[in-house]
Amino acid sequence: MSAPQPPTLHPTARSEEQYARFKHTVSLCGLVIPPILIALPPRKLDFYTFGLSTFWLLSLNHITAERSGRSILQHINTRKPSSSLLQDLPSDKARDLQERLKRERLLRVQPSGQGSESRGLVDKLWMGHEQEGWREKRIKEEQEALEEGRGYGGLIMDQIWEVWNWGKRKEDRSIEEHGPVTADAERDASRKP
């Protein structure tokens, strides 16, 4: 007599269907539960959060593949590159418009002799009323302040003060309030204890 052979496991259609339903249910739970657990306190970025995020992405990938027949990576890889989109414009008019916009963009970028009128709206908003040579002026002010013994903290505070008071400097404010400082006023101030 020979020893009994272990039965071979052949998946049946019913067991495959149960396994597919189980994966679908776990994936649906994986779409809902990990974000809830991540949102609960304590909110921190650690290995636990990374694991939950990975489980969420895998669940999303499985559901996407189940519904569309392609995974998320396959969806991303089949997208057209943006350069080919520009070449497949629908008409000659669209190509002409695109070329005209490129020329205008190049003209805006190239420096012209017109000064501040040629600056675009974004430059005007970002730079405000700064004149040409503002960098050299700031570097000169910085060197003078460092030679006087003031530090970078004082420079930063002066610039914040200037912005806060719409361009007026501390020296300008003291002159407006108290008038110009004279030699007599300095002598009187030095005599007071």
Side-chain angles (χ1 to χ4, degrees), residues 37-55:
L37 292 175
I38 290 172
L40 291 175
R43 293 177 195 98
K44 56 186 176 180
L45 189 60
D46 58 355
F47 187 72
Y48 178 69
T49 308
F50 176 74
L52 287 171
S53 300
T54 304
F55 182 56

Side-chain angles (χ1 to χ4, degrees), residues 110-156:
Q110 292 175 349
S112 61
Q114 297 175 352
S116 63
E117 292 134 10
S118 67
R119 293 194 315 185
L121 177 65
V122 174
D123 288 339
K124 287 180 183 177
L125 288 174
W126 184 257
M127 295 301 293
H129 298 291
E130 288 292 339
Q131 304 296 323
E132 294 294 324
W134 65 271
R135 285 189 178 141
E136 291 80 17
K137 180 181 166 188
R138 289 286 184 185
I139 290 171
K140 182 181 171 191
E141 289 175 2
E142 177 182 327
Q143 289 172 348
E144 288 174 359
L146 291 174
E147 287 172 2
E148 291 174 4
R150 293 182 8 215
Y152 284 105
L155 286 170
I156 292 170

